[in-house]
Amino acid sequence: MIPGQVALRSNLPAQVSSFIGRERELEQIARLLRQQRLVTVTGAGGIGKTRLALQAAAAELDRFADGVWLVELAPLASPELVAETVGKVLALRTDPTAPDPSPLGGLCAFLRAKHMLLVLDNCEHVIAACADIVARLLADCPAVTVLATSREPLGIAGEWVLRAPPLRLPDGAQPIEDDAQRLLSYDGIRLFVERAQAAEPSFRLTEVNATSVVDVCRQLDGMPLALELAAVRVRGMGVAYMSTRLNDRFRLLTGGDRTTASRQQALHTSLDWSHSLLPEAERVVLRRLGVFAGSFSLEAAEAVCAGEYVGQSGQALVLSDAVLDSLLQLVNKSLIQLDQDSGRYRLLETIRLYAQERLGEADETNEVRRRHFVHYLQLAEDGVTLVGGPHQEAWFTRIELEHDNLRAALGWAIDARQTDEAARMALGIWRFWHVRTYQREGLRWLEQILALDATNPLPDALRPRLLNALGVLAERAARFDRAREYHAEAQRLWTAADDRAGMAQALFDIGWQHFDQVQLEPARQCAMECLSLAESIGDARLIASALLLRAMVDVNESRLDGIIPALERSVMIWRELGDMDNLGTTLAGLAVTYQQSGDYERAKPLLAESVRLHLRLGSYGNLISTFVGLMWLAVGTADQLDMAQDAARIFGVMAAWEDTTSGSRSPWWESEIGRGFTDKVAARLGPETMAQAVADGKSLTTAGFLALADRITAPTSDAGPPAPTRPVATSARYGDLTARELEVLRLVARGLTNAEAARELTVTPRTVNAHLTAIYSKLGVTGRSGAIRYAIDHQLG
C-alpha cells in the first residue's frame, strides 16, 4: 500500500484458537462502548485482557464508520513512540504547518472527524504517555472511542474500568461433580480440557480424572495463561500427577483472596512452576530470550542465548548448536510461539517480562543485552553492501521484520553512551529508514547519537557519514535549514580529509537539496562538480547520480541537448550495479525528458517500468520521481477529460506521499512549472471536479495507484511511430530476432517485468533474461531502455 493510505476498515488479527466463555464481560464491554468513550480492561498479566478486548472489538466492526484499529504497544521501548505508532497503524498524514505539528497534534487533527474505535493493547509500560494521548483524543476527537488493555487503569477523567476476572470454575465450597458435561459448562474447565486435547488428542474429561482436572484449574485460579501452560503438560505428565505437583508448588493458590494482587501472584507462581520444570539449559535460554522485542529468528536466538552461565553445579555452557533443541522444547511447552509461515519465534508478553526478571536475578541483563546489540549491529553492517544492489529488496524485508529488535538494540547503545557503536548501527540501517518512509524516526535516532558526540566523541571516519545521513533524512523530511547545516559540515570534514568520494557525495546531496528547493543553477553547479570528482576516481554510482541530477536540472530549464545520452548512461550503470531503486528513478527522469520534447509514447513504457520497480522494492520513499513522471505525462495530455482527471488524481497521490514523508508541500508546487501544471488541469476540469479527483488520488490504495499508472501509461492506439532520436537500422527485419525474442520484446515494451513476462509466456524468468541478453546483442543496444525504444520505433509494443 502507498504510505498514507488506509485501505481496510480494520486490522484485527484472525484468531487461531477458540474463544471460550467471557459472555458477561463481552456484554459489559459492548454496553459500555455504547455509553462511554474510554473503556479500560485491567487485570494481571495472563488474565486474558488482550483476547477479551479483541473479541469485544470484533463485535463492533459494523458500528464504527471508520473502522476498528488495533495498536500493539508491547514492543515499544520508549513512550515517545506511542503517538507515532498509533499514527503508523492509521497511515497518518501530518502537517508541520498546523498549529500543533507534533505527532500527537497530527493524530488529533487526523482523527477529529473520524468515527473510530481504537484498541490500545498493553499500555502498562508506557502508561503515562497513553494517558496523555487518550486524554487529548477524548477532548479533541468527539467520535473516537478507545478500548484499552493494561495492568492498571490509565487514571484519567471519563475512564470506565472493567477488571477481567478469572474464568468461571465450580465453587470451591461445593463437592466436585463427576458429570463431565456439566463441568464443561464452566469456562475454566472447558478451556483447560480443549487445550489439553489439542496437546494430547486422546485426552478426555471423564469421571476418573474429573477431580484432578477441577483441582488443577482451581489451584491455577482460573487464569487463562496458567491454564494453557498447564494443559500442554498433560501430554508428558498426566493430569493426576500434575495435580499433586501443583499442591506442592503452589500453596498460595489453595484458596482465599481473589484480589488483583492474588491473581498477579497466581500467574507468577504458575510461571515459576512451569519454569522449574525446565531443564537448566532451557531455563537459561528462556531468560535470555527476554531481551528480544517482537519476533526473532533462530539465528538471533543462537547468537544471544549461547554462552557461559553459572549453574547449580558451577560454571556451565549453552552451546550455539544446542539452542535450537531448547527452542523446540520451549515451543512444545507453549512458552514460546512459533509462526509457521515466517519461521520466527515470539514470547508472549507476560512470559517475556517474566524472563527478564529471571535474567536480572541471574545478573546477566547487561551482558545478554550487549550480545543482542552485537548481533543486530552485525546484521545492520552486513546489509550496507546490499543497499543499492540486486539483494536490497530481500534485505529491507528482513530489516522490516527486525525493526523492533533494532530499535531496542540501538536504544541500549544510546543509553549506554556507546556513541561509535550506536552510530555504526544507525549508519547500517538509515537508508532503510529513508526508503521505507521512516524518515522522521530515523532523524530522531541520528540526532540522539549526534548529541552524544559532545561528551563521547565519534571516530573521525564516522562523523561525516553520520552528518551526511542526517542531511538526507532532514532534507526528505523538509527540514531544509537543518539539512543544509548537516551537509555543509559533512562536506567540510570530507574536504579536510581529502576524501574525494565523500566530497562528491556531499556535492550530490547538497545539489539535490537545491533542486528540491527549485534552486536550479546551484543544483546544476553541484552536479557538474560532483560528476568531475566522480569521473576522476571512477566511482560509477556517483557518476550515475550526478548525471541524473544534471539531467533533471536541464530538463526543467528546457536544455535538452545531450540529456538523453547522459540518462541512458546512468540507466546502464544502475542496471550493471543491480540497483533497481535508482534505476526506477532514472527511468522516470528519462521519461520526463522524452515528454519535455513532446514524445509521450516513448515515455510510457519507461514510466510503466519505473512504477513496477519501485512498488516491487517497497521503495515508497523514492516514489516521488515516478509520480513526477506520471504527472508530466498526464498533464501533457490533459486536453482529454479522462486524462485531466487522472492528472488531478496524481496530484492527490503526490500530496498523500508528501504528508507521509515530510508533512509539507514541496516548493515545486509554487514554482512556475508547478503552477502551470495545476492551472492547466484546473482550467480543464473546474474547481469541484478537480477537488474530487485530488481527493480520490489521496485515498488510493497500492492497487488503485497501479491501475491509475496503467491508464496513464497505456499506449495510444492511433499514435504514429515517434521520431527516433537517432537513425534506426532497417537493413534486417527486426534485427534478426526470433519469434520468441519478438514476443519477449513486445511484453517488455508494454512495461512487464521479467517475472511478469515469464508468467505470460509460461517460461522461467531466467529464460526471459537469456532472451533479453540475446535481444540486446542483436539490436546493438546496451540495455532494457534501448530495447524498449527499438520496439516503439518499430511499433512492436
Side-chain angles (χ1 to χ4, degrees):
M1 147 180 289
I2 298 172
Q5 311 306 318
V6 175
L8 304 174
R9 291 185 59 252
S10 172
N11 66 339
L12 295 180
Q15 299 302 322
V16 297
S17 60
S18 59
F19 184 83
I20 295 175
R22 304 288 201 190
E23 291 85 2
R24 179 181 176 185
E25 289 75 33
L26 288 172
E27 290 174 2
Q28 286 179 298
I29 294 174
R31 184 175 68 255
L32 287 171
L33 289 176
R34 283 162 174 74
Q35 299 170 350
Q36 311 298 330
R37 295 183 50 226
L38 170 59
V39 178
T40 303
V41 179
T42 66
I47 197 68
K49 301 183 295 294
T50 295
R51 189 69 190 273
L52 175 60
L54 292 178
Q55 192 75 11
E60 302 296 321
L61 283 170
D62 293 334
R63 200 167 69 82
F64 289 88
D66 294 303
V68 177
W69 298 93
L70 170 65
V71 182
E72 296 176 320
L73 302 176
L76 299 188
S78 170
E80 295 176 355
L81 291 173
V82 174
E84 288 192 17
T85 299
V86 178
K88 196 75 177 178
V89 169
L90 299 177
L92 172 63
R93 301 184 291 269
T94 58
D95 180 7
T97 65
D100 182 0
S102 66
L104 178 53
L107 186 61
C108 290
F110 178 75
L111 291 174
R112 193 161 287 126
K114 301 294 185 183
H115 182 220
M116 183 182 293
L117 175 62
L118 284 180
V119 183
L120 303 183
D121 189 36
N122 287 308
C123 299
E124 52 270 4
H125 64 303
V126 285
I127 193 75
C130 288
D132 291 342
I133 290 168
V134 172
R136 180 83 175 273
L137 290 178
L138 294 180
D140 289 0
C141 309
V144 170
T145 298
V146 176
L147 176 59
T149 74
S150 178
R151 294 190 182 186
E152 59 180 308
L154 300 186
I156 60 177
E159 180 182 33
W160 281 73
V161 178
L162 186 144
R163 298 191 183 278
L167 294 176
R168 289 190 313 114
L169 296 171
D171 189 338
Q174 301 296 323
I176 294 176
E177 302 173 359
D178 57 7
D179 183 340
Q181 290 304 311
R182 184 172 180 83
L183 284 175
L184 287 173
S185 68
Y186 293 96
D187 302 335
I189 303 296
R190 184 151 53 99
L191 175 67
F192 179 86
V193 170
E194 285 196 13
R195 299 302 189 259
Q197 287 175 340
E200 176 50 67
S202 65
F203 178 80
R204 295 289 184 273
L205 179 63
T206 66
E207 294 181 3
V208 175
N209 64 20
T211 299
S212 296
V213 168
V214 174
D215 188 48
V216 165
C217 293
R218 283 178 175 171
Q219 290 189 68
L220 294 179
D221 212 26
M223 303 289 286
L225 178 56
L227 291 173
E228 297 208 24
L229 290 171
V232 77
R233 303 298 297 177
V234 167
R235 179 174 58 241
M237 63 191 307
V239 70
Y241 180 64
M242 182 189 302
S243 175
T244 63
R245 288 293 301 263
L246 284 173
N247 284 332
D248 293 337
R249 188 69 179 167
F250 298 143
R251 289 188 294 272
L252 291 173
L253 298 178
T254 55
D257 192 2
R258 290 179 179 266
T259 64
T260 302
S262 294
R263 291 198 302 274
Q264 178 69 29
Q265 185 62 40
L267 178 63
H268 197 277
T269 306
S270 69
L271 288 173
D272 276 340
W273 165 71
S274 186
H275 180 262
S276 71
L277 294 177
L278 299 175
E280 189 171 65
E282 289 178 27
R283 293 202 297 270
V284 174
V285 170
L286 179 62
R287 72 182 181 232
R288 292 175 176 178
L289 292 175
V291 300
F292 287 101
S295 64
F296 54 90
S297 66
L298 170 61
E299 176 190 13
E302 289 173 335
V304 172
C305 297
E308 293 184 348
Y309 66 93
V310 178
Q312 294 176 350
S313 303
Q315 204 74 13
L317 178 68
V318 173
L319 296 173
S320 178
D321 292 345
V323 172
L324 174 58
D325 290 336
S326 292
L327 287 176
L328 294 175
Q329 290 303 316
L330 292 169
V331 169
N332 201 35
K333 297 165 186 173
S334 296
L335 288 166
I336 299 176
Q337 310 298 304
L338 172 64
D339 185 314
Q340 295 289 346
D341 292 331
S342 67
R344 292 175 65 82
Y345 300 90
R346 178 187 296 272
L347 272 68
L348 296 175
E349 180 62 12
T350 302
I351 296 178
R352 187 175 76 90
L353 295 175
Y354 178 85
Q356 289 177 355
E357 288 184 8
R358 302 286 75 75
L359 194 66
E361 289 177 357
D363 196 25
E364 291 184 341
T365 300
N366 193 62
E367 173 59 29
V368 176
R369 289 202 67 184
R370 175 155 189 81
R371 282 189 221 158
H372 178 269
F373 172 81
V374 168
H375 173 76
Y376 285 102
L377 173 62
Q378 186 68 56
L379 171 66
E381 293 192 321
D382 285 349
V384 171
T385 59
L386 303 179
V387 176
H391 302 295
Q392 174 176 296
E393 178 185 3
W395 187 71
F396 277 2
T397 298
R398 184 177 180 187
I399 293 300
E400 192 78 64
L401 284 173
E402 300 286 10
H403 202 184
D404 285 331
N405 279 305
L406 287 161
R407 285 165 167 161
L410 188 53
W412 176 84
I414 291 173
D415 290 343
R417 307 188 70 79
Q418 300 293 323
T419 314
D420 58 338
E421 292 185 319
R424 287 166 56 195
M425 172 170 278
L427 288 171
I429 60 176
W430 78 270
R431 292 192 183 277
F432 162 80
W433 289 328
H434 178 61
V435 168
R436 292 290 175 93
T437 67
Y438 292 97
Q439 287 92 349
R440 282 173 281 187
E441 179 182 342
L443 187 60
R444 187 168 59 250
W445 282 117
L446 293 179
E447 288 183 332
Q448 288 182 59
I449 296 168
L450 187 64
L452 293 178
D453 183 50
T455 55
N456 298 65
L458 283 162
D460 291 341
L462 293 182
R463 186 176 289 105
R465 292 175 56 203
L466 184 75
L467 289 163
N468 168 252
L470 276 162
V472 173
L473 292 177
E475 190 271 334
R476 179 51 58 83
R479 310 319 198 246
F480 294 123
D481 290 343
R482 286 154 65 184
R484 191 175 299 110
E485 293 174 3
Y486 293 137
H487 283 316
E489 182 61 11
Q491 183 183 35
R492 185 189 70 78
L493 292 171
W494 271 324
T495 302
D498 195 28
D499 184 336
R500 289 191 291 170
M503 293 159 62
Q505 183 67 59
L507 283 165
F508 172 75
D509 291 325
I510 292 169
W512 202 266
Q513 180 170 340
H514 281 307
F515 180 77
D516 278 352
Q517 293 186 271
V518 205
Q519 299 163 353
L520 298 184
E521 281 309 312
R524 193 175 199 277
Q525 183 62 35
C526 286
M528 296 301 293
E529 293 180 25
C530 174
L531 182 59
S532 177
L533 272 173
E535 295 275 21
S536 73
I537 60 177
D539 191 313
R541 185 175 297 280
L542 284 168
I543 290 170
S545 299
L547 288 170
L548 172 61
L549 175 57
R550 188 185 69 181
M552 290 301 90
V553 172
D554 286 350
V555 77
N556 281 282
E557 291 185 333
S558 298
R559 299 175 180 174
L560 301 183
D561 290 346
I563 294 181
I564 289 177
L567 286 172
E568 288 180 334
R569 183 185 177 195
S570 185
V571 164
M572 181 181 67
I573 291 172
W574 296 131
R575 287 198 190 278
E576 288 175 349
L577 292 173
D579 189 336
M580 298 297 102
D581 195 359
N582 277 307
L583 174 62
T585 297
T586 308
L587 288 173
L590 185 57
V592 168
T593 305
Y594 281 130
Q595 292 169 86
Q596 178 74 314
S597 61
D599 195 346
Y600 297 107
E601 292 306 306
R602 185 170 277 132
K604 289 177 178 179
L606 302 176
L607 278 174
E609 185 177 0
S610 177
V611 168
R612 281 165 171 78
L613 282 173
H614 282 310
L615 292 183
R616 190 191 77 199
L617 293 170
S619 182
Y620 302 120
N622 291 329
L623 267 171
I624 188 61
S625 60
T626 304
F627 295 154
V628 170
L630 292 169
M631 180 181 69
W632 277 69
L633 179 54
V635 173
T637 55
D639 292 338
Q640 306 169 43
L641 180 60
D642 56 348
M643 192 59 79
Q645 290 176 319
D646 281 344
R649 292 185 182 101
I650 285 293
F651 295 162
V653 170
M654 294 175 73
W657 180 89
E658 289 171 336
D659 287 341
T660 298
T661 56
S662 68
S664 64
R665 299 289 274 165
S666 166
W668 277 96
W669 292 110
E670 297 303 319
S671 70
E672 182 179 350
I673 293 175
R675 289 196 303 271
F677 284 159
T678 54
D679 289 349
K680 178 177 180 180
V681 175
R684 182 69 180 87
L685 295 179
E688 291 185 5
T689 303
M690 181 168 176
Q692 182 59 55
V694 169
D696 291 344
K698 285 184 176 181
S699 63
L700 282 178
T701 62
T702 300
F705 166 67
L706 190 56
L708 173 62
D710 284 344
R711 286 201 305 272
I712 294 174
T713 59
T716 303
S717 57
D718 59 354
T725 57
R726 58 174 67 100
V728 178
T730 57
S731 58
R733 178 71 172 169
Y734 301 138
D736 295 326
L737 299 181
T738 66
R740 176 61 89 179
E741 288 165 353
L742 281 171
E743 286 184 283
V744 171
L745 182 56
R746 287 190 176 97
L747 294 174
V748 169
R750 283 167 44 196
L752 273 67
T753 65
N754 287 10
E756 291 167 337
R759 286 195 294 271
E760 188 82 10
L761 297 173
T762 321
V763 296
T764 67
R766 180 176 295 180
T767 300
V768 170
N769 188 59
H771 284 313
L772 283 174
T773 301
I775 290 168
Y776 299 156
S777 176
K778 290 181 180 181
L779 298 184
V781 298
T782 57
R784 197 182 195 92
S785 61
I788 291 172
R789 186 172 61 253
Y790 180 95
I792 294 173
D793 288 344
H794 290 77
Q795 304 181 58
L796 291 174

